[in-house]
């Protein structure tokens, strides 16, 4: 869930936030390893990134002092950065088709643009740059649809399968190609779900 911070100071250096930032930092490392075709190490680093994703959510849910509005924005942002870098690098390594990667990136760019638009529309005057980018002003949050959550899971499954393909020698597997089609379907469907449900996916937090 993307959201902007409430009108109060929060400590940004919580464990979940640090884990999310670490996941962002792992993205270029993974991209480099994949482009260099060091798939064994890349697979291990991907598992490490997955562990940070599980841990930050678990900690935020179970320790109230570790939960923050900033974290609710950092977590999905880290996921999108990681997925985008992985798909681009896997495409460069000829493990994922260009058309599928283009579709995924276009969807994510559209969603990020929508978040910026919602931020602008829900920010009360004066709409200055300092207030717009100030995380201390809460305005709205974007709630992902069910199919969008499923799409993220499918995308990550395809990444894991594609990374493991050259390690376990099934690059030309029909099952992998079937997974491409499933991922394309969930990507298009999730994009349409945001268009169809529109305002139902947006919750205004504060109009003051």
């Amino acid at each position: 869930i993307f959201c902007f911070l409430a009108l109060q100071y929060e400590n940004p250096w919580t464990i979940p936030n640090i884990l999310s930032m670490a996941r962002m930092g792992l993205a270029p490392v993974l991209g480099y390893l994949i482009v260099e075709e060091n798939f064994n190490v890349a697979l291990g680093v991907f598992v490490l990134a997955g562990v940070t994703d599980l841990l930050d959510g678990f900690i935020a849910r179970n320790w109230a002092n570790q939960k923050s509005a900033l974290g609710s924005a950092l977590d999905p942002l880290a996921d999108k950065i990681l997925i985008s870098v992985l798909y681009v690098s896997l495409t460069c390594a000829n493990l994922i088709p260009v058309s599928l990667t283009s579709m995924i990136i276009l969807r994510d760019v559209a969603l990020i643009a929508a978040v910026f638009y919602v931020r602008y529309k829900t920010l009360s005057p004066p709409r200055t740059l300092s207030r717009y980018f100030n995380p201390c002003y809460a305005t709205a949050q974007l709630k992902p649809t069910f199919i969008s959550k499923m799409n993220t899971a499918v995308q990550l499954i395809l990444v894991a399968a594609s990374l493991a393909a050259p390690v376990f020698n099934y690059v030309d597997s029909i099952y992998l190609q079937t997974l491409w089609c499933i991922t394309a379907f969930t990507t298009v469907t999730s994009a349409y779900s945001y268009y169809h449900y529109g305002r139902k996916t947006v919750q205004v937090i504060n109009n003051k």
Side-chain angles (χ1 to χ4, degrees):
I1 297 173
F2 281 102
C3 71
F4 299 94
L5 299 184
L7 295 174
Q8 62 182 10
Y9 174 78
E10 287 187 331
N11 174 25
W13 301 110
T14 62
I15 294 174
N17 291 352
I18 292 171
L19 289 172
S20 292
M21 288 185 281
R23 195 155 67 256
M24 292 184 197
L26 288 175
V29 175
L30 268 169
Y32 174 78
L33 289 170
I34 292 168
V35 170
E36 291 296 312
E37 299 186 357
N38 195 341
F39 298 113
N40 293 67
V41 177
L43 191 56
V45 175
F46 176 72
V47 171
L48 177 62
V51 169
T52 68
D53 194 15
L54 292 174
L55 276 178
D56 66 26
F58 176 79
I59 293 171
R61 285 191 301 272
N62 290 279
W63 282 271
N65 65 337
Q66 293 295 308
K67 187 176 183 179
S68 68
L70 177 60
S72 67
L74 276 179
D75 182 41
L77 179 61
D79 289 342
K80 287 193 179 300
I81 290 173
L82 184 65
I83 287 173
S84 295
V85 170
L86 282 167
Y87 271 84
V88 169
S89 54
L90 285 166
T91 299
C92 291
N94 296 314
L95 292 172
I96 289 179
V98 175
S99 56
L100 179 56
T101 295
S102 300
M103 185 184 301
I104 289 168
I105 297 228
L106 282 173
R107 171 193 174 274
D108 285 349
V109 168
L111 283 179
I112 291 170
V115 169
F116 277 100
Y117 175 75
V118 168
R119 171 65 166 170
Y120 174 78
K121 294 296 289 185
T122 57
L123 184 67
S124 59
R127 292 188 177 107
T128 61
L129 283 176
S130 60
R131 292 185 78 239
Y132 185 89
F133 289 105
N134 188 340
C136 292
Y137 287 100
T139 57
Q141 66 181 20
L142 176 64
K143 294 183 176 180
T145 60
F146 173 75
I147 186 62
S148 180
K149 293 178 181 179
M150 293 297 296
N151 177 58
T152 300
V154 171
Q155 287 180 352
L156 289 173
I157 289 170
L158 176 57
V159 165
S162 298
L163 272 175
V167 176
F168 297 103
N169 300 313
Y170 61 86
V171 172
D172 298 319
S173 170
I174 186 65
Y175 298 109
L176 193 59
Q177 294 169 15
T178 301
L179 195 51
W180 295 348
C181 297
I182 294 172
T183 306
F185 175 75
T186 58
T187 299
V188 172
T189 306
S190 66
Y192 177 75
S193 71
Y194 280 114
Y195 170 78
H196 178 74
Y197 291 107
R199 293 183 180 180
K200 292 181 181 178
T201 64
V202 177
Q203 179 182 349
V204 176
I205 295 175
N206 196 317
N207 268 328
K208 295 181 180 180

